Amino acid sequence: GGEQQRVALARSLAVGPDVLLLAEPTSALDEKSARAVDEVIRSLVADGLTVVLVSHDLDRVLGVADQVLVLDHGRLVERGGPREVRYLS
């Protein structure tokens, strides 16, 4: 599973996108594989790529994001850095 997720990321990056959109990139992965995918995402962000990550796993998002938007039933209820977001904590 984790290898497939990394291959899918590599394919997406091959076209040189300005923005990478990811929806639940670690779903159905064991924790070790999920951490590996998280590390790839952090590396991409550190290299200057804008990554939009959509996930129901707020803890995982807080671990990789520098800006977080929390939606509740389609409404923006909170926005801030990972240390500022308190919604659902």
Side-chain angles (χ1 to χ4, degrees):
E3 187 66 28
Q4 290 175 339
Q5 297 292 66
R6 288 190 294 268
V7 169
L9 279 173
R11 265 189 261 146
S12 298
L13 294 169
V15 296
D18 294 324
V19 177
L20 185 62
L21 305 175
L22 301 173
E24 301 286 356
T26 58
S27 65
L29 295 180
D30 62 85
E31 190 57 31
K32 181 179 177 183
S33 296
R35 283 193 308 267
V37 171
D38 289 345
E39 185 56 38
V40 170
I41 294 168
R42 278 192 289 276
S43 175
L44 294 170
V45 170
D47 288 344
L49 182 64
T50 298
V51 177
V52 177
L53 172 64
V54 178
S55 179
H56 290 92
D57 186 344
L58 185 59
D59 289 332
R60 186 158 307 283
V61 170
L62 295 174
V64 298
D66 59 359
Q67 286 292 310
V68 178
L69 286 87
V70 179
L71 302 177
D72 185 13
H73 293 92
R75 288 186 30 241
L76 178 64
V77 294
E78 191 165 3
R79 178 182 181 169
R83 293 185 179 168
E84 301 166 336
V85 173
R86 300 287 177 234
Y87 191 80
L88 300 177
S89 298

